[in-house]
Amino acid sequence: MTTPDRRTRVARAAVPPGPPRRSTFSLLRKLFTDRLALMTDAAAYGDVVRVAIGPKSLYLVNHPEHAKHVLADNAANYHKGIGLREAKAVLGEGLLTSDGEVWRQQRRRVSPVFQAKRVAAHAGLVASEVDGLVRRLRAREGHGALEIGHELTGLTLGVLGRALLETDLGPYASLGHSFEAVQDQAMFRAVTLGMVPRWLPLRIQRRFRSSRADLFRVADELLDRHLAEPPGADLLRRLVPGGDRADRAQARAELITVLLAGHETTSSTLGWAFHLIDRHPEVAQRLHEEAVEVLGDRLPGYDDLHRLRYTAMVVEEVMRLYPPVWLLPRVAQEADEIAGYRIPAGADVVVVPYTMHRHPEFWADPGRFDPERFHPDRAAGRPRYAYIPFGAGPRFCVGNTFGMMEAVFVLAQVSRELRLSTVSGYRVVPEGMLSLRVRGGLPMTVHAVGTSRGRLAAAA
């Protein structure tokens, strides 16, 4: 509730600084072609910035304390915003896009699935799936480049299917492409300010409609299978309590959201990890040595996570430089004041982890890849909200523990036996969509590093 004193303070607050109006065409170009550059350039104006693009203004937040205000202290005033609004065409009122009581009910239903003890129970299954990835990659040694993003999407969907849905998602190979089309359409709607009619027969919109139909088909098949069989997968049981068919659209929306969020962020993080590890041989060597020392020739278990400490630091540093959720869009329900600047009611407010994770006040030499930043001695005293790869506040990612376990296992198991190299001369360009991905994919070649386990497996 807004008090009289606060209303007075908001009314007197200044307009945030930002690019001049004459920059509109340059900003529009970056909005379409390089959104990361747009955010980076805007951050140079300060920690709260107003970017006016045609009829719309974006209010960018790039400081931990201000992010805390939006995401936690005054979270009730900030509902889901640009990009996620457009994604509702497929995700409906799912956990990523819903607000208020609908979101709270969904969160309560899903949260128990991701409790630490349940995540621990899935560790062996995750390690087994990753072992399958290692075998597939080893088979590609000497056979040219592969698109690592495709392999990682297959892995993360496989883990998600077996661990949370108790089903094999292998027959649904189209899922990765369909989710990519949904992201493309959501971002297209966002950057065109929703002014392009959905009925126009543009290629991106035709592809979106086809992909949406595919996602609905997959979700309906999974739900039908669940309803026709004895109670099984805990997640599906929570999405469709009591086997009720009445709210099919809502159950479908929540399932599609879980499928997207459950694989996209982890596969994106792992792709960036393998690229950065390839560029830093000393990191690759330390990862290999830790995996051999901790695991020997066996698969990891949940208790190994605290022993694979350097591997975890690598994952954390990857997510600092390339946070899979690189911006957190919100809409102000009432006028607000942040750091002395006025945020109008209805304003699009964007917390930008991508720039905040590179803020020079909190990160020395912020562009450098340095996993040791996350050693407890160096991390002590760093503001909590300076690093928010899983979001923050009430909407902190419910699957963060599961995602970290999966990412650590992948880096440890792959680094123990293999080295992945980005194809020489290939230009790796980050692309800010709903997640932060490599534009055009990431072709890599596979090389063995000669562990005893790798030699035995190859000879088997």
Side-chain angles (χ1 to χ4, degrees):
M1 186 179 204
T2 306
T3 65
D5 287 346
R6 183 163 184 79
R7 282 196 296 270
T8 300
R9 194 163 66 248
V10 169
R12 292 176 177 175
V15 175
R21 283 282 182 182
R22 65 176 179 274
S23 303
T24 295
F25 288 111
S26 171
L27 293 172
L28 279 171
R29 179 177 56 80
K30 288 178 182 175
L31 186 62
F32 275 93
T33 62
D34 195 346
R35 287 173 284 279
L36 296 177
L38 171 64
M39 300 299 171
T40 301
D41 294 347
Y45 286 88
D47 291 332
V48 180
V49 178
R50 176 176 175 263
V51 178
I53 306 176
K56 181 177 285 292
S57 290
L58 301 178
Y59 292 77
L60 309 183
V61 175
N62 297 302
H63 189 281
E65 284 305 308
H66 311 334
K68 181 173 179 288
H69 175 84
V70 173
L71 301 176
D73 297 342
N74 198 22
N77 188 51
Y78 292 94
H79 290 189
K80 285 301 182 86
I82 192 169
L84 294 176
R85 290 196 303 260
E86 288 71 21
K88 280 191 177 184
V90 168
L91 301 181
E93 290 287 342
L95 200 57
L96 287 178
T97 56
S98 60
D99 283 296
E101 186 57 30
V102 172
W103 172 81
R104 282 187 285 273
Q105 290 177 4
Q106 293 169 343
R107 181 82 174 206
R108 283 194 294 269
R109 280 202 299 272
V110 172
S111 291
V113 176
F114 296 98
Q115 291 173 346
K117 63 181 181 180
R118 299 196 185 196
V119 172
H122 294 310
L125 184 153
V126 174
S128 175
E129 286 287 311
V130 177
D131 191 50
L133 171 71
V134 172
R135 293 173 186 275
R136 291 192 297 274
L137 292 177
R138 192 189 303 118
R140 290 297 302 268
E141 184 184 7
H143 294 282
L146 54 83
E147 206 291 285
I148 193 63
H150 175 74
E151 295 293 335
L152 295 171
T153 295
L155 167 74
T156 53
L157 281 171
V159 168
L160 176 64
R162 287 188 61 196
L164 302 184
L165 304 176
E166 294 181 8
T167 192
D168 178 12
L169 292 178
Y172 304 109
S174 61
L175 276 173
H177 296 294
S178 293
F179 278 125
E180 183 177 323
V182 168
Q183 286 201 66
D184 290 345
Q185 169 71 358
M187 193 54 64
F188 174 75
R189 294 282 299 173
V191 301
T192 58
L193 310 181
M195 298 175 66
V196 178
R198 293 183 187 274
W199 51 262
L200 279 180
L202 301 178
R203 181 177 179 274
I204 190 172
Q205 304 206 127
R206 293 198 307 271
R207 181 174 174 237
F208 164 74
R209 285 191 288 271
S210 173
S211 296
R212 179 176 58 183
D214 180 57
L215 292 175
F216 284 4
R217 174 187 63 83
V218 172
D220 283 338
E221 286 185 16
L222 293 173
L223 290 169
D224 285 340
R225 185 184 306 169
H226 166 70
L227 292 169
E229 296 175 354
D234 193 37
L235 180 61
L236 283 173
R237 191 163 62 247
R238 290 178 177 276
L239 294 181
V240 194
D244 185 8
R245 294 176 179 269
D247 197 2
R248 167 55 66 98
Q250 184 59 35
R252 179 202 290 148
E254 295 188 37
L255 178 55
I256 291 175
T257 297
V258 169
L259 288 170
L260 171 61
H263 89 277
E264 176 72 21
T265 54
T266 305
S267 61
S268 171
T269 295
L270 288 168
W272 286 112
F274 285 125
H275 173 63
L276 288 169
I277 292 166
D278 176 48
R279 293 179 59 188
H280 296 83
E282 73 286 358
V283 172
Q285 184 61 29
R286 283 193 64 180
L287 282 170
H288 171 74
E289 291 172 354
E290 181 176 82
V292 170
E293 178 184 350
V294 171
L295 302 178
D297 286 344
R298 63 178 175 81
L299 297 182
Y302 188 75
D303 291 341
D304 291 312
L305 286 175
H306 74 279
R307 301 169 64 203
L308 292 166
R309 185 63 199 126
Y310 184 74
T311 307
M313 291 195 299
V314 170
V315 174
E316 291 171 318
E317 176 70 345
V318 170
M319 291 192 295
R320 182 188 70 85
L321 285 172
Y322 297 103
V325 182
W326 64 282
L327 81 171
L328 298 164
R330 299 290 187 267
V331 176
Q333 304 304 294
E334 296 181 3
D336 196 7
E337 174 263 332
I338 301 177
Y341 295 113
R342 187 171 190 272
I343 308 297
D348 285 296
V349 178
V350 182
V351 177
V352 191
Y354 180 81
T355 54
M356 205 159 59
H357 288 183
R358 299 163 185 257
H359 198 303
E361 183 179 341
F362 308 103
W363 306 97
D365 194 6
R368 186 165 63 93
F369 181 60
D370 177 15
E372 291 290 340
R373 295 178 198 276
F374 290 91
H375 188 283
D377 293 343
R378 287 180 59 182
R382 186 180 298 143
R384 160 68 183 85
Y385 279 70
Y387 180 68
I388 52 172
F390 295 107
R395 303 194 75 130
F396 185 77
C397 175
V398 69
N400 68 299
T401 302
F402 189 91
M404 274 298 296
M405 179 178 73
E406 186 176 3
V408 169
F409 281 9
V410 170
L411 290 196
Q413 290 175 248
V414 172
S415 297
R416 177 175 57 182
E417 303 183 30
L418 304 170
R419 179 171 58 85
L420 303 181
S421 301
T422 306
V423 168
S424 178
Y426 185 80
R427 185 166 174 256
V428 177
V429 178
E431 182 177 37
M433 303 298 284
L434 291 184
S435 62
L436 183 54
R437 65 192 188 192
V438 178
R439 178 177 295 166
L442 183 59
M444 305 193 84
T445 54
V446 181
H447 313 273
V449 294
T451 66
S452 59
R453 185 176 186 278
R455 287 194 299 270
L456 289 172

